[in-house]
Amino acid sequence: MESNENRAPTPTGDPVCLLSRVCPECGSMAEGPVPAVCPRCGAEMPDQDDER
């Protein structure tokens, strides 16, 4: 039987950071294009300048 010690780990989770989609005030996550303000509480959403 072959050992799995030399194999790279299988990637898990989301491949991109979704933090820019989370409202810093209420924690709701934006769906679709990220708005300038949170549709739930009206707080300003994080800047989208860092998206690639």
Tab-separated table of all heavy atoms in Angstrom:
chain	number	residue	atom	x	y	z
A	1	MET	N	0.830	-1.175	0.000
A	1	MET	CA	0.000	0.000	0.000
A	1	MET	C	0.880	1.246	0.000
A	1	MET	O	1.911	1.273	0.638
A	1	MET	CB	-0.900	-0.001	1.238
A	1	MET	CG	-2.215	0.636	0.933
A	1	MET	SD	-3.314	0.745	2.355
A	1	MET	CE	-3.853	-0.920	2.577
A	2	GLU	N	0.444	2.307	-0.699
A	2	GLU	CA	1.213	3.540	-0.830
A	2	GLU	C	0.866	4.531	0.282
A	2	GLU	O	-0.286	4.653	0.672
A	2	GLU	CB	0.877	4.165	-2.188
A	2	GLU	CG	1.964	5.062	-2.707
A	2	GLU	CD	1.645	5.512	-4.114
A	2	GLU	OE1	1.585	4.657	-5.009
A	2	GLU	OE2	1.437	6.710	-4.289
A	3	SER	N	1.863	5.256	0.769
A	3	SER	CA	1.654	6.250	1.824
A	3	SER	C	1.208	7.585	1.230
A	3	SER	O	1.620	7.956	0.141
A	3	SER	CB	2.956	6.448	2.598
A	3	SER	OG	2.820	7.503	3.503
A	4	ASN	N	0.360	8.325	1.952
A	4	ASN	CA	-0.106	9.644	1.509
A	4	ASN	C	0.767	10.781	2.029
A	4	ASN	O	0.443	11.939	1.843
A	4	ASN	CB	-1.550	9.874	1.974
A	4	ASN	CG	-2.525	9.023	1.218
A	4	ASN	OD1	-2.262	8.639	0.085
A	4	ASN	ND2	-3.655	8.724	1.832
A	5	GLU	N	1.897	10.465	2.684
A	5	GLU	CA	2.735	11.478	3.310
A	5	GLU	C	3.315	12.482	2.321
A	5	GLU	O	3.509	13.641	2.658
A	5	GLU	CB	3.859	10.816	4.084
A	5	GLU	CG	3.376	10.083	5.314
A	5	GLU	CD	4.514	9.393	6.027
A	5	GLU	OE1	5.674	9.776	5.827
A	5	GLU	OE2	4.231	8.451	6.779
A	6	ASN	N	3.624	12.102	1.103
A	6	ASN	CA	4.274	12.981	0.134
A	6	ASN	C	3.297	13.723	-0.766
A	6	ASN	O	3.715	14.504	-1.605
A	6	ASN	CB	5.258	12.187	-0.724
A	6	ASN	CG	6.406	11.658	0.108
A	6	ASN	OD1	6.778	12.270	1.102
A	6	ASN	ND2	6.949	10.533	-0.276
A	7	ARG	N	2.029	13.514	-0.605
A	7	ARG	CA	1.039	14.182	-1.452
A	7	ARG	C	0.650	15.537	-0.870
A	7	ARG	O	0.621	15.726	0.338
A	7	ARG	CB	-0.218	13.326	-1.582
A	7	ARG	CG	0.032	12.062	-2.360
A	7	ARG	CD	-1.248	11.357	-2.591
A	7	ARG	NE	-0.977	10.075	-3.226
A	7	ARG	CZ	-1.893	9.221	-3.570
A	7	ARG	NH1	-3.165	9.481	-3.325
A	7	ARG	NH2	-1.591	8.094	-4.139
A	8	ALA	N	0.362	16.473	-1.751
A	8	ALA	CA	-0.082	17.802	-1.308
A	8	ALA	C	-1.486	17.678	-0.729
A	8	ALA	O	-2.297	16.876	-1.200
A	8	ALA	CB	-0.087	18.765	-2.481
A	9	PRO	N	-1.803	18.476	0.296
A	9	PRO	CA	-3.149	18.415	0.871
A	9	PRO	C	-4.203	18.885	-0.120
A	9	PRO	O	-3.938	19.715	-0.988
A	9	PRO	CB	-3.073	19.362	2.072
A	9	PRO	CG	-1.891	20.220	1.823
A	9	PRO	CD	-0.962	19.456	0.947
A	10	THR	N	-5.378	18.328	-0.007
A	10	THR	CA	-6.487	18.717	-0.875
A	10	THR	C	-7.008	20.073	-0.417
A	10	THR	O	-7.302	20.261	0.757
A	10	THR	CB	-7.621	17.681	-0.781
A	10	THR	OG1	-7.096	16.402	-1.114
A	10	THR	CG2	-8.764	18.021	-1.714
A	11	PRO	N	-7.097	21.068	-1.339
A	11	PRO	CA	-7.608	22.379	-0.945
A	11	PRO	C	-9.057	22.278	-0.462
A	11	PRO	O	-9.849	21.502	-0.991
A	11	PRO	CB	-7.543	23.208	-2.216
A	11	PRO	CG	-6.782	22.412	-3.206
A	11	PRO	CD	-6.741	21.001	-2.738
A	12	THR	N	-9.373	23.040	0.569
A	12	THR	CA	-10.733	23.057	1.095
A	12	THR	C	-11.203	24.496	1.240
A	12	THR	O	-10.407	25.422	1.260
A	12	THR	CB	-10.798	22.379	2.471
A	12	THR	OG1	-9.920	23.062	3.356
A	12	THR	CG2	-10.431	20.916	2.390
A	13	GLY	N	-12.483	24.705	1.346
A	13	GLY	CA	-13.033	26.038	1.547
A	13	GLY	C	-13.140	26.820	0.255
A	13	GLY	O	-12.921	26.306	-0.840
A	14	ASP	N	-13.481	28.092	0.406
A	14	ASP	CA	-13.634	28.966	-0.749
A	14	ASP	C	-12.270	29.405	-1.273
A	14	ASP	O	-11.386	29.742	-0.496
A	14	ASP	CB	-14.460	30.197	-0.382
A	14	ASP	CG	-15.916	29.860	-0.112
A	14	ASP	OD1	-16.448	28.988	-0.823
A	14	ASP	OD2	-16.507	30.451	0.798
A	15	PRO	N	-12.101	29.455	-2.597
A	15	PRO	CA	-10.811	29.815	-3.166
A	15	PRO	C	-10.528	31.314	-3.130
A	15	PRO	O	-9.432	31.738	-3.405
A	15	PRO	CB	-10.915	29.315	-4.605
A	15	PRO	CG	-12.366	29.352	-4.894
A	15	PRO	CD	-13.052	29.039	-3.595
A	16	VAL	N	-11.507	32.151	-2.820
A	16	VAL	CA	-11.315	33.600	-2.763
A	16	VAL	C	-11.788	34.133	-1.427
A	16	VAL	O	-12.600	33.523	-0.754
A	16	VAL	CB	-12.089	34.318	-3.898
A	16	VAL	CG1	-11.572	33.912	-5.250
A	16	VAL	CG2	-13.566	34.038	-3.812
A	17	CYS	N	-11.292	35.298	-1.071
A	17	CYS	CA	-11.709	35.929	0.173
A	17	CYS	C	-13.038	36.646	-0.055
A	17	CYS	O	-13.183	37.445	-0.970
A	17	CYS	CB	-10.652	36.925	0.631
A	17	CYS	SG	-11.122	37.761	2.151
A	18	LEU	N	-14.000	36.364	0.776
A	18	LEU	CA	-15.321	36.982	0.664
A	18	LEU	C	-15.526	38.086	1.697
A	18	LEU	O	-16.622	38.605	1.843
A	18	LEU	CB	-16.400	35.909	0.823
A	18	LEU	CG	-16.363	34.794	-0.222
A	18	LEU	CD1	-17.390	33.724	0.114
A	18	LEU	CD2	-16.603	35.338	-1.606
A	19	LEU	N	-14.467	38.461	2.404
A	19	LEU	CA	-14.578	39.433	3.475
A	19	LEU	C	-15.132	40.770	2.995
A	19	LEU	O	-15.868	41.430	3.722
A	19	LEU	CB	-13.213	39.637	4.133
A	19	LEU	CG	-13.197	40.432	5.426
A	19	LEU	CD1	-14.138	39.805	6.457
A	19	LEU	CD2	-11.798	40.508	5.981
A	20	SER	N	-14.828	41.169	1.770
A	20	SER	CA	-15.323	42.448	1.257
A	20	SER	C	-16.840	42.435	1.057
A	20	SER	O	-17.442	43.485	0.885
A	20	SER	CB	-14.628	42.813	-0.053
A	20	SER	OG	-14.974	41.880	-1.053
A	21	ARG	N	-17.458	41.268	1.097
A	21	ARG	CA	-18.901	41.152	0.900
A	21	ARG	C	-19.666	41.167	2.225
A	21	ARG	O	-20.881	41.171	2.241
A	21	ARG	CB	-19.217	39.864	0.150
A	21	ARG	CG	-18.490	39.765	-1.188
A	21	ARG	CD	-18.833	38.501	-1.917
A	21	ARG	NE	-20.169	38.522	-2.452
A	21	ARG	CZ	-20.557	39.229	-3.510
A	21	ARG	NH1	-19.704	39.988	-4.125
A	21	ARG	NH2	-21.792	39.172	-3.939
A	22	VAL	N	-18.931	41.168	3.362
A	22	VAL	CA	-19.554	41.109	4.684
A	22	VAL	C	-19.663	42.520	5.265
A	22	VAL	O	-18.682	43.261	5.313
A	22	VAL	CB	-18.739	40.212	5.635
A	22	VAL	CG1	-19.352	40.195	7.021
A	22	VAL	CG2	-18.642	38.805	5.082
A	23	CYS	N	-20.858	42.882	5.721
A	23	CYS	CA	-21.082	44.183	6.336
A	23	CYS	C	-20.331	44.247	7.670
A	23	CYS	O	-20.495	43.359	8.508
A	23	CYS	CB	-22.569	44.418	6.567
A	23	CYS	SG	-22.920	45.946	7.473
A	24	PRO	N	-19.522	45.299	7.882
A	24	PRO	CA	-18.772	45.399	9.128
A	24	PRO	C	-19.665	45.698	10.341
A	24	PRO	O	-19.259	45.471	11.468
A	24	PRO	CB	-17.794	46.544	8.883
A	24	PRO	CG	-18.397	47.345	7.790
A	24	PRO	CD	-19.203	46.387	6.965
A	25	GLU	N	-20.878	46.171	10.122
A	25	GLU	CA	-21.776	46.519	11.222
A	25	GLU	C	-22.681	45.369	11.643
A	25	GLU	O	-22.779	45.042	12.805
A	25	GLU	CB	-22.627	47.736	10.847
A	25	GLU	CG	-21.824	48.998	10.644
A	25	GLU	CD	-21.102	49.439	11.908
A	25	GLU	OE1	-21.699	49.369	12.991
A	25	GLU	OE2	-19.937	49.844	11.788
A	26	CYS	N	-23.382	44.767	10.669
A	26	CYS	CA	-24.377	43.750	11.037
A	26	CYS	C	-23.982	42.330	10.646
A	26	CYS	O	-24.633	41.376	11.044
A	26	CYS	CB	-25.729	44.106	10.436
A	26	CYS	SG	-25.831	43.924	8.632
A	27	GLY	N	-22.927	42.180	9.822
A	27	GLY	CA	-22.451	40.850	9.462
A	27	GLY	C	-23.186	40.194	8.307
A	27	GLY	O	-22.906	39.065	7.956
A	28	SER	N	-24.133	40.907	7.696
A	28	SER	CA	-24.854	40.314	6.569
A	28	SER	C	-23.927	40.236	5.359
A	28	SER	O	-23.018	41.044	5.205
A	28	SER	CB	-26.124	41.115	6.291
A	28	SER	OG	-26.071	41.845	5.130
A	29	MET	N	-24.138	39.239	4.490
A	29	MET	CA	-23.298	39.073	3.307
A	29	MET	C	-24.059	39.527	2.069
A	29	MET	O	-25.184	39.096	1.836
A	29	MET	CB	-22.862	37.623	3.139
A	29	MET	CG	-21.914	37.451	1.966
A	29	MET	SD	-21.223	35.814	1.805
A	29	MET	CE	-20.016	35.832	3.091
A	30	ALA	N	-23.413	40.395	1.283
A	30	ALA	CA	-24.028	40.907	0.056
A	30	ALA	C	-24.043	39.817	-1.004
A	30	ALA	O	-23.081	39.066	-1.155
A	30	ALA	CB	-23.255	42.113	-0.446
A	31	GLU	N	-25.137	39.738	-1.741
A	31	GLU	CA	-25.246	38.815	-2.865
A	31	GLU	C	-25.190	39.631	-4.140
A	31	GLU	O	-25.671	40.761	-4.182
A	31	GLU	CB	-26.551	38.043	-2.792
A	31	GLU	CG	-26.597	37.078	-1.622
A	31	GLU	CD	-27.868	36.253	-1.606
A	31	GLU	OE1	-28.509	36.112	-2.661
A	31	GLU	OE2	-28.210	35.756	-0.533
A	32	GLY	N	-24.613	39.091	-5.183
A	32	GLY	CA	-24.489	39.830	-6.432
A	32	GLY	C	-23.425	40.906	-6.292
A	32	GLY	O	-22.538	40.808	-5.454
A	33	PRO	N	-23.530	41.971	-7.091
A	33	PRO	CA	-22.551	43.064	-6.988
A	33	PRO	C	-22.603	43.687	-5.592
A	33	PRO	O	-23.676	43.905	-5.042
A	33	PRO	CB	-23.012	44.060	-8.041
A	33	PRO	CG	-23.901	43.291	-8.958
A	33	PRO	CD	-24.498	42.180	-8.161
A	34	VAL	N	-21.449	43.972	-5.028
A	34	VAL	CA	-21.389	44.531	-3.676
A	34	VAL	C	-21.835	45.993	-3.723
A	34	VAL	O	-21.258	46.795	-4.436
A	34	VAL	CB	-19.968	44.416	-3.090
A	34	VAL	CG1	-19.928	44.999	-1.693
A	34	VAL	CG2	-19.509	42.973	-3.073
A	35	PRO	N	-22.879	46.340	-2.957
A	35	PRO	CA	-23.368	47.719	-2.945
A	35	PRO	C	-22.454	48.621	-2.118
A	35	PRO	O	-21.626	48.143	-1.340
A	35	PRO	CB	-24.740	47.597	-2.277
A	35	PRO	CG	-24.612	46.404	-1.394
A	35	PRO	CD	-23.671	45.460	-2.111
A	36	ALA	N	-22.614	49.938	-2.259
A	36	ALA	CA	-21.826	50.901	-1.485
A	36	ALA	C	-22.260	50.907	-0.027
A	36	ALA	O	-21.457	51.166	0.864
A	36	ALA	CB	-21.959	52.289	-2.094
A	37	VAL	N	-23.550	50.634	0.208
A	37	VAL	CA	-24.073	50.574	1.576
A	37	VAL	C	-24.810	49.254	1.760
A	37	VAL	O	-25.355	48.685	0.828
A	37	VAL	CB	-25.017	51.758	1.907
A	37	VAL	CG1	-24.265	53.060	1.880
A	37	VAL	CG2	-26.198	51.803	0.997
A	38	CYS	N	-24.829	48.773	2.987
A	38	CYS	CA	-25.490	47.510	3.309
A	38	CYS	C	-27.001	47.667	3.135
A	38	CYS	O	-27.597	48.587	3.698
A	38	CYS	CB	-25.164	47.126	4.745
A	38	CYS	SG	-26.041	45.657	5.326
A	39	PRO	N	-27.641	46.778	2.381
A	39	PRO	CA	-29.089	46.858	2.202
A	39	PRO	C	-29.859	46.522	3.483
A	39	PRO	O	-31.015	46.895	3.632
A	39	PRO	CB	-29.386	45.840	1.104
A	39	PRO	CG	-28.200	44.965	1.014
A	39	PRO	CD	-27.045	45.720	1.585
A	40	ARG	N	-29.217	45.870	4.429
A	40	ARG	CA	-29.884	45.486	5.673
A	40	ARG	C	-29.866	46.607	6.718
A	40	ARG	O	-30.873	46.900	7.337
A	40	ARG	CB	-29.215	44.237	6.231
A	40	ARG	CG	-29.853	43.714	7.478
A	40	ARG	CD	-29.219	42.411	7.868
A	40	ARG	NE	-29.754	41.914	9.122
A	40	ARG	CZ	-29.192	40.988	9.835
A	40	ARG	NH1	-28.078	40.430	9.418
A	40	ARG	NH2	-29.731	40.594	10.960
A	41	CYS	N	-28.674	47.231	6.924
A	41	CYS	CA	-28.579	48.224	7.999
A	41	CYS	C	-28.149	49.609	7.536
A	41	CYS	O	-28.179	50.542	8.317
A	41	CYS	CB	-27.634	47.728	9.093
A	41	CYS	SG	-25.882	47.766	8.626
A	42	GLY	N	-27.714	49.735	6.277
A	42	GLY	CA	-27.340	51.036	5.737
A	42	GLY	C	-25.902	51.451	6.001
A	42	GLY	O	-25.497	52.542	5.622
A	43	ALA	N	-25.108	50.595	6.637
A	43	ALA	CA	-23.703	50.920	6.904
A	43	ALA	C	-22.902	50.877	5.608
A	43	ALA	O	-23.251	50.167	4.667
A	43	ALA	CB	-23.116	49.937	7.911
A	44	GLU	N	-21.801	51.643	5.569
A	44	GLU	CA	-20.919	51.620	4.408
A	44	GLU	C	-20.244	50.265	4.294
A	44	GLU	O	-19.761	49.722	5.288
A	44	GLU	CB	-19.832	52.682	4.553
A	44	GLU	CG	-20.054	53.870	3.664
A	44	GLU	CD	-18.894	54.832	3.734
A	44	GLU	OE1	-17.790	54.478	3.285
A	44	GLU	OE2	-19.128	55.919	4.250
A	45	MET	N	-20.212	49.727	3.080
A	45	MET	CA	-19.542	48.454	2.845
A	45	MET	C	-18.047	48.714	2.648
A	45	MET	O	-17.649	49.830	2.310
A	45	MET	CB	-20.132	47.768	1.606
A	45	MET	CG	-21.575	47.331	1.786
A	45	MET	SD	-21.813	46.083	3.058
A	45	MET	CE	-21.325	44.619	2.162
A	46	PRO	N	-17.192	47.695	2.848
A	46	PRO	CA	-15.747	47.864	2.657
A	46	PRO	C	-15.431	48.301	1.231
A	46	PRO	O	-16.170	47.991	0.291
A	46	PRO	CB	-15.188	46.455	2.922
A	46	PRO	CG	-16.229	45.774	3.725
A	46	PRO	CD	-17.538	46.359	3.297
A	47	ASP	N	-14.322	49.026	1.069
A	47	ASP	CA	-13.882	49.480	-0.257
A	47	ASP	C	-13.631	48.284	-1.157
A	47	ASP	O	-13.126	47.252	-0.712
A	47	ASP	CB	-12.594	50.294	-0.155
A	47	ASP	CG	-12.834	51.659	0.464
A	47	ASP	OD1	-13.981	52.134	0.405
A	47	ASP	OD2	-11.869	52.236	1.001
A	48	GLN	N	-13.964	48.445	-2.428
A	48	GLN	CA	-13.776	47.378	-3.404
A	48	GLN	C	-12.496	47.567	-4.217
A	48	GLN	O	-12.259	46.876	-5.164
A	48	GLN	CB	-14.988	47.333	-4.354
A	48	GLN	CG	-16.294	47.099	-3.656
A	48	GLN	CD	-16.327	45.808	-2.893
A	48	GLN	OE1	-16.060	44.748	-3.436
A	48	GLN	NE2	-16.656	45.873	-1.607
A	49	ASP	N	-11.627	48.509	-3.828
A	49	ASP	CA	-10.407	48.807	-4.569
A	49	ASP	C	-9.434	47.637	-4.633
A	49	ASP	O	-8.684	47.503	-5.563
A	49	ASP	CB	-9.673	49.997	-3.936
A	49	ASP	CG	-10.480	51.272	-4.032
A	49	ASP	OD1	-11.393	51.333	-4.885
A	49	ASP	OD2	-10.204	52.203	-3.246
A	50	ASP	N	-9.460	46.765	-3.616
A	50	ASP	CA	-8.496	45.671	-3.550
A	50	ASP	C	-8.892	44.449	-4.344
A	50	ASP	O	-8.141	43.502	-4.428
A	50	ASP	CB	-8.261	45.257	-2.099
A	50	ASP	CG	-7.579	46.359	-1.308
A	50	ASP	OD1	-6.889	47.189	-1.920
A	50	ASP	OD2	-7.751	46.401	-0.070
A	51	GLU	N	-10.078	44.441	-4.958
A	51	GLU	CA	-10.506	43.268	-5.737
A	51	GLU	C	-9.660	43.129	-6.990
A	51	GLU	O	-9.291	44.101	-7.615
A	51	GLU	CB	-11.992	43.388	-6.121
A	51	GLU	CG	-12.885	43.016	-4.993
A	51	GLU	CD	-14.322	42.830	-5.447
A	51	GLU	OE1	-14.552	42.799	-6.668
A	51	GLU	OE2	-15.178	42.711	-4.590
A	52	ARG	N	-9.380	41.901	-7.368
A	52	ARG	CA	-8.566	41.653	-8.568
A	52	ARG	C	-9.335	40.882	-9.566
A	52	ARG	O	-10.130	40.133	-9.388
A	52	ARG	CB	-7.317	40.872	-8.172
A	52	ARG	CG	-6.450	41.718	-7.300
A	52	ARG	CD	-5.247	40.962	-6.859
A	52	ARG	NE	-4.621	41.792	-5.846
A	52	ARG	CZ	-3.601	41.419	-5.158
A	52	ARG	NH1	-3.063	40.266	-5.339
A	52	ARG	NH2	-3.075	42.206	-4.265
